[in-house]
Amino acid sequence: MRAYKPHEIEQKWQQYWDETNAHRTNEDDAKEKFYCLEQFPYPSGRLHMGHMRVYSIGDVTARYKKMSGYQVLHPMGWDAFGMPAENAAIKLGAQPSKWTYENIDFMKNQQKKLGVSYDWERELATCSPEYYKMTQQLFLLFYERGLAYRKNGAVNWCPHDQTVLANEQVEDGCCWRCGTEVVKLDLEQWYFKITDYADRLVNDLEQLAGWPEKVKTMQRNWIGRSTGAEVTFEVPEVDEKLTVFTTRPDTLFGVTFMVLAPEHPVVRKLIAGKENEAAVNAFIEKTRKESDITRTAADAPKEGMFTGAYARHPLTGENVPIWIANYVLMDYGTGAVMAVPAHDTRDFAFARQYDLPIKRVIVAEGETFDVNETLAEAYTEDGVLVQSGTFDGMPNREALVKIGDYLKEQGLGGQTVSYRLRDWLVSRQRYWGAPIPIIYCDDCGIVPVPKEDLPVMLPEDVVIDGMSNPLAKSEAFVNVTCPSCGGHARRETDTMDTFIDSSWYYLRYTDSKNDQIPFKPEKANKWLPVDEYIGGIEHAILHLLYSRFFTKVLYDAGMVNFTEPFKSLLTQGMVLKDGAKMSKSKGNVVSPDEIIAKYGADTGRLFILFAAPPDRDLEWSDSGVEGSYRFLNRVWRMVDGHAELVASHPAVHLSDSAAKDLNRTLHATIKKVSEDIGERRQFNTAISSIMELVNKIYAYPEDADRGMLAHAIESTIILLAPFAPHITEEMWRIVGHEDSVHEQKWPVFDETALVLDEVEIVVQINGKVREKMVIPANTTKQDMEEMANSNEKIKELVAGKTVRKVIAVPGKLVNIVVG
């Protein structure tokens, strides 16, 4: 018998697949399309077990769909811009491109060793000029549509990476990449108007039935849509108006002070010339150094200062003192808050701390209101209005609407919707990114780079020291001729946030060689949306939200005919070892290369798919890997030992009970595996059912129908093929085939084969099992009773007793009740 030699087999078939271009996308429009996509990796240098898991999941899905008769698009590329390449360049004294492309070559080779069925002809790297030329085209599209704009404002700044960060890239007050505490700086930056799409980004989540509910909830919470009212407060002494957003307009008569964010542009005017101006300015600078997370934490001290200025209450005309406080943020709401301490916990604490008035305007229904009563805590429940003018006695839920309507009538505000989401800050003061295609001319102002002049190339004659943006120091890059007037101009030196690159890459795969436009609409419309998108839960907000935004912009521009990029989303769990995520610092890393070197890729794939459902965390187990290796060896011996039989294609007769039983198990397995891959995405239970089928084949009697045995073995190879592509390719040839197992039609289960000819039933006496019988599956209740009564053992047990009742349940049991 031949030995199973995974390394020889895998190298042989990987070479064959490369030489025959076996995984090229077969564009056959007579077939239904299926676009399977795993999130493309950052080329950091080595694949880890998380990569192996996500690629194995995607490959099983793609192979299954191809064998099921679909035309399948299954591409791969590289999210190749970003800080790690610059950091490596600083450390190694080399250009980021050299480090990046060397890593791409290494990781691509690792992926091929896994046996993944990628169409490498469509490969892309976001750092290639061919790709970022198209990214620059899309930037200009956003600019032309009024969705890219430049403004000065307070931004998140990472002192370590020397670059700005979008709000979404600040995690617990720190940089999402390096962990350095983020500070605030005033800079002029480029933004994308994602807020113009806030409503659609929330509403269209309802279309995504194939997304995990937790991911949709995370997106809803990040967008943070709130229904309420805008209220305008006048500030006569500086001739300004302050607009606040509140979800509680029913409490408007309870406003006793206002609070502004220290960064609010009006603050400087309010304190100008006042005796506390220096103290307030010092407080502003102190607060700006704190992260938003620190300022808004529930247990953080609420600090503030009085500006010395007053606003006019829009409904009562009373003077309302204006304070600034650390817990109010400029980029949330309007940067101004109307404080209602009697009915808001945070305002109540602040009022107590600084001895500010507390005015109650809602009481519980039926409660006697005492204006002199001192509140021990804020009242936040529903009730009826008091001290609220013409709205007194009105239920507060009704007043929410009525007061909003009244504000609108009086031109003082009105009902509106507010969002937590802020416009996407896309400028980065880094080298290794797509240059922003904008030129600044003293005469013409902002001038887009003409499309025929794209790409704006990254110069290579720069020094990357990590302390500043090297593009700003390159005179050859900065100094240009204005394309509008021909005069001297300077180029934008910021590059784009790398999330822009990944916000549209799934579209580029459909037309990856196009050197004129990002993609042809007809090609994108054919393949998109992605039918199965696979990746980590860590991208639930940033990447997925930005990709959805891009898709909607491109839809509005007439470039695509769909509004959501990903129909179905699978977020795989982490790979753990000893209960913790694998990491070098913990010393618990197992690399895919180690497993491939010892057992082969098929074993690694099989284990990582069998050990846990794909959306759950997976605990690494060396014994589990050994078990997967033993199973493949067992299948190998089964196939090799019956190779001549299978190759002879004996007819299936189903002439005996063992053959019928194996046929039933085979079709139950086909049904289970098909549903687990294609519908439930439970690869672990699919593999388990194949294992049970193999056990059944091993137990098959020597004298039973040989045709059924051969058919079951051949079908097992096909069912296992998406999971273990190399060994099944080899076994398919061993049993006499000359074509590829991956080109075979996926087996279809026969419902009639699942119907049992005979069933085992139990016979009970007074509810206790006394006998078991095998009877025809279609036996009637009356015949079941007669069979039970005529059974010799049962006759002995009921002899001399009175049979009071006989209960028969077809296919299951007969219960004889005796007295």
Side-chain angles (χ1 to χ4, degrees):
M1 181 175 285
R2 284 166 285 202
Y4 170 44
K5 298 179 179 179
H7 303 103
E8 290 181 14
I9 291 170
E10 291 175 5
Q11 186 175 5
K12 167 187 172 181
W13 289 111
Q14 287 162 14
Q15 183 177 344
Y16 173 81
W17 293 333
D18 262 355
E19 290 173 353
T20 60
N21 212 345
H23 304 317
R24 175 190 291 158
T25 305
N26 180 18
E27 299 214 32
D28 180 357
D29 290 341
K31 297 178 178 180
E32 187 177 349
K33 71 92 178 176
F34 190 88
Y35 188 172
C36 180
L37 182 63
E38 300 102 80
Q39 293 173 357
F40 63 169
Y42 182 80
S44 57
R46 295 291 184 274
L47 295 183
H48 53 66
M49 279 301 170
H51 289 126
M52 186 174 186
R53 192 178 192 191
V54 71
Y55 302 151
S56 297
I57 290 169
D59 197 46
V60 168
T61 303
R63 289 182 183 276
Y64 165 75
K65 286 294 182 179
K66 183 177 179 181
M67 295 172 76
S68 297
Y70 290 79
Q71 55 168 333
V72 174
L73 175 59
H74 189 210
M76 179 49 61
W78 311 95
D79 191 10
F81 273 140
M83 281 299 303
E86 283 198 49
N87 293 337
I90 296 166
K91 183 178 179 180
L92 301 173
Q95 282 296 322
S97 58
K98 182 177 185 296
W99 182 84
T100 299
Y101 282 109
E102 285 176 355
N103 287 346
I104 286 174
D105 289 342
F106 190 91
M107 292 174 72
K108 182 176 178 179
N109 186 52
Q110 285 183 297
Q111 287 178 322
K112 288 186 174 184
K113 286 182 179 179
L114 284 174
V116 285
S117 56
Y118 294 135
D119 181 354
W120 287 111
E121 288 188 349
R122 295 173 185 257
E123 179 185 10
L124 60 83
T126 60
C127 66
S128 72
E130 295 79 12
Y131 186 90
Y132 69 72
K133 170 185 177 179
M134 303 307 167
T135 301
Q136 291 169 345
Q137 277 196 27
L138 292 175
F139 182 97
L140 295 179
L141 172 73
F142 277 59
Y143 181 78
E144 291 161 5
R145 298 183 66 82
L147 295 171
Y149 67 98
R150 200 166 184 247
K151 73 171 183 179
N152 191 288
V155 298
N156 304 306
W157 178 262
C158 175
H160 178 272
D161 291 343
Q162 292 284 297
T163 188
V164 300
L165 303 170
N167 289 335
E168 296 89 338
Q169 294 164 335
V170 180
E171 298 177 350
D172 296 329
C174 298
C175 173
W176 73 294
R177 276 209 184 276
C178 69
T180 303
E181 187 172 353
V182 170
V183 298
K184 290 281 188 179
L185 288 182
D186 283 323
L187 292 174
E188 194 165 31
Q189 303 285 284
W190 283 94
Y191 293 79
F192 279 174
K193 276 191 176 181
I194 192 172
T195 53
D196 280 10
Y197 286 77
D199 264 335
R200 289 164 65 181
L201 288 168
V202 172
N203 295 337
D204 288 358
L205 288 169
E206 299 302 320
Q207 300 177 18
L208 302 176
W211 281 41
E213 195 57 44
K214 65 179 178 181
V215 174
K216 292 193 283 186
T217 298
M218 291 168 76
Q219 293 226 342
R220 287 190 190 97
N221 291 343
W222 186 260
I223 297 167
R225 179 164 64 186
S226 300
T227 301
E230 280 190 343
V231 187
T232 302
F233 289 76
E234 293 185 353
V235 188
E237 68 175 275
V238 292
D239 193 27
E240 290 278 0
K241 292 182 179 180
L242 293 173
T243 299
V244 303
F245 171 80
T246 177
T247 59
R248 296 293 306 275
D250 54 323
T251 65
L252 180 56
F253 284 87
V255 173
T256 59
F257 60 99
M258 292 188 70
V259 186
L260 304 183
E263 302 90 344
H264 198 292
V266 171
V267 171
R268 303 288 184 182
K269 292 179 69 174
L270 297 179
I271 63 174
K274 292 189 170 67
E275 62 181 28
N276 65 341
E277 182 177 4
V280 174
N281 277 327
F283 177 81
I284 292 171
E285 293 308 311
K286 170 180 173 291
T287 305
R288 284 168 60 87
K289 294 177 182 177
E290 298 174 353
S291 70
D292 292 352
I293 299 293
T294 300
R295 287 169 58 176
T296 57
D299 56 351
K302 306 298 184 279
E303 299 177 343
M305 289 194 73
F306 178 45
T307 64
Y310 293 83
R312 181 182 296 147
H313 194 291
L315 299 186
T316 68
E318 297 172 343
N319 283 333
V320 178
I322 303 173
W323 285 63
I324 59 172
N326 60 348
Y327 66 85
V328 180
L329 306 179
M330 190 60 225
D331 56 1
Y332 187 78
T334 63
V337 173
M338 63 175 220
V340 187
H343 305 289
D344 181 274
T345 303
R346 186 176 60 182
D347 293 345
F348 183 87
F350 192 84
R352 278 288 184 85
Q353 182 175 347
Y354 292 102
D355 196 25
L356 296 167
I358 298 174
K359 178 183 178 183
R360 191 172 186 184
V361 293
I362 297 176
V363 298
E365 192 169 356
E367 178 185 343
T368 301
F369 171 60
D370 181 358
V371 71
N372 296 314
E373 178 186 4
T374 300
L375 286 176
E377 60 183 2
Y379 178 78
T380 58
E381 305 298 320
D382 286 341
V384 296
L385 269 61
V386 296
Q387 299 194 94
S388 298
T390 59
F391 300 97
D392 278 359
M394 183 179 292
N396 75 293
R397 292 290 166 186
E398 183 180 341
L400 284 168
V401 177
K402 295 290 187 183
I403 292 178
D405 290 343
Y406 182 75
L407 289 169
K408 184 176 181 180
E409 292 170 7
Q410 300 301 313
L412 300 170
Q415 295 183 54
T416 188
V417 175
S418 183
Y419 299 90
R420 178 178 183 268
L421 182 69
R422 286 292 169 262
D423 280 344
W424 177 8
L425 195 164
V426 299
S427 294
R428 296 294 180 271
Q429 292 69 45
R430 307 308 310 166
Y431 167 78
W432 195 233
I436 293 175
I438 292 293
I439 290 170
Y440 302 103
C441 174
D442 290 338
D443 294 325
C444 305
I446 294 176
V447 182
V449 173
K451 289 180 182 177
E452 59 270 21
D453 292 343
L454 297 179
V456 176
M457 295 282 288
L458 284 170
E460 294 198 358
D461 58 339
V462 294
V463 176
I464 302 171
D465 56 14
M467 302 305 296
S468 60
N469 182 357
L471 293 180
K473 297 179 180 178
S474 172
E475 291 191 11
F477 180 81
V478 173
N479 296 312
V480 293
T481 300
C482 174
S484 180
C485 70
H488 177 264
R490 64 192 185 282
R491 197 184 294 284
E492 171 63 73
T493 58
D494 286 352
T495 54
M496 297 184 218
D497 181 4
T498 56
F499 276 104
I500 292 179
D501 307 323
S502 59
S503 292
W504 74 278
Y505 79 106
Y506 47 90
L507 290 153
R508 181 65 175 174
Y509 284 133
T510 68
D511 197 11
S512 61
K513 299 295 188 291
N514 196 320
D515 62 357
Q516 298 301 310
I517 55 177
F519 54 87
K520 287 184 178 178
E522 59 268 28
K523 291 191 175 184
N525 292 335
K526 169 187 172 175
W527 286 109
L528 274 292
V530 173
D531 295 281
E532 188 75 274
Y533 195 40
I534 307 161
I537 191 70
E538 66 271 16
H539 297 296
I541 295 175
L542 300 183
H543 165 58
L544 293 177
L545 185 67
Y546 293 153
S547 297
R548 297 180 61 226
F549 167 51
F550 255 70
T551 302
K552 294 179 191 306
V553 173
L554 296 175
Y555 173 82
D556 291 349
M559 294 175 66
V560 298
N561 63 5
F562 49 91
T563 59
E564 288 290 339
F566 313 120
K567 183 187 295 185
S568 181
L569 176 68
L570 193 159
T571 52
Q572 90 283 357
M574 293 188 297
V575 180
L576 311 176
K577 193 168 192 297
D578 304 322
K581 183 180 179 181
M582 288 187 182
S583 71
K584 291 180 181 178
S585 62
K586 293 187 176 73
N588 65 346
V589 172
V590 179
S591 80
D593 287 348
E594 290 176 48
I595 300 304
I596 293 172
K598 188 172 183 181
Y599 300 102
D602 284 340
T603 291
R605 288 170 57 123
L606 196 72
F607 166 74
I608 213 160
L609 293 167
F610 177 62
D615 58 343
R616 304 284 182 85
D617 289 345
L618 179 156
E619 178 66 36
W620 186 263
S621 164
D622 293 335
S623 62
V625 178
E626 284 277 0
S628 297
Y629 183 66
R630 286 196 302 271
F631 171 70
L632 290 180
N633 271 280
R634 195 161 187 252
V635 175
W636 176 270
R637 292 192 300 272
M638 177 187 77
V639 172
D640 192 50
H642 296 90
E644 290 185 11
L645 171 69
V646 178
S648 67
H649 301 293
V652 177
H653 296 296
L654 299 180
S655 53
D656 53 71
S657 60
K660 291 177 182 177
D661 189 35
L662 180 56
N663 188 54
R664 189 162 44 249
T665 300
L666 171 61
H667 282 274
T669 304
I670 293 170
K671 183 176 189 292
K672 175 72 171 166
V673 174
S674 301
E675 290 175 351
D676 281 353
I677 299 177
E679 298 173 24
R680 299 176 61 241
R681 299 183 291 186
Q682 297 295 302
F683 309 110
N684 56 317
T685 53
I687 294 170
S688 179
S689 65
I690 296 173
M691 290 176 171
E692 292 173 9
L693 174 61
V694 171
N695 290 339
K696 194 79 171 181
I697 294 172
Y698 265 93
Y700 192 68
E702 288 290 334
D703 59 350
D705 177 22
R706 298 291 90 185
M708 184 60 229
L709 176 62
H711 176 56
I713 291 173
E714 192 170 69
S715 298
T716 300
I717 298 172
I718 295 174
L719 291 172
L720 189 60
F723 302 96
H726 308 90
I727 188 175
T728 51
E729 192 81 285
E730 183 72 13
M731 292 187 299
W732 192 246
R733 303 303 171 94
I734 286 174
V735 298
H737 295 285
E738 295 183 359
D739 54 356
S740 170
V741 68
H742 303 292
E743 297 294 333
Q744 304 312 302
K745 289 184 178 179
W746 188 257
V748 178
F749 76 91
D750 180 358
E751 196 75 57
T752 61
L754 304 181
V755 178
L756 294 169
D757 293 332
E758 295 179 326
V759 293
E760 183 179 69
I761 67 166
V762 297
V763 182
Q764 301 173 335
I765 298 177
N766 291 342
K768 293 185 178 180
V769 177
R770 299 299 188 185
E771 176 67 308
K772 293 180 180 180
M773 300 191 308
V774 176
I775 66 173
N778 58 356
T779 304
T780 65
K781 291 172 66 174
Q782 183 178 347
D783 289 342
M784 287 173 65
E785 291 180 23
E786 291 178 2
M787 290 178 178
N789 288 328
S790 62
N791 181 278
E792 291 299 325
K793 183 178 179 181
I794 297 300
K795 284 196 292 185
E796 288 179 15
L797 292 171
V798 300
K801 298 175 183 176
T802 302
V803 176
R804 301 191 180 279
K805 187 190 298 184
V806 179
I807 303 167
V809 179
K812 292 187 177 181
L813 62 86
V814 176
N815 184 28
I816 301 172
V817 181
V818 300

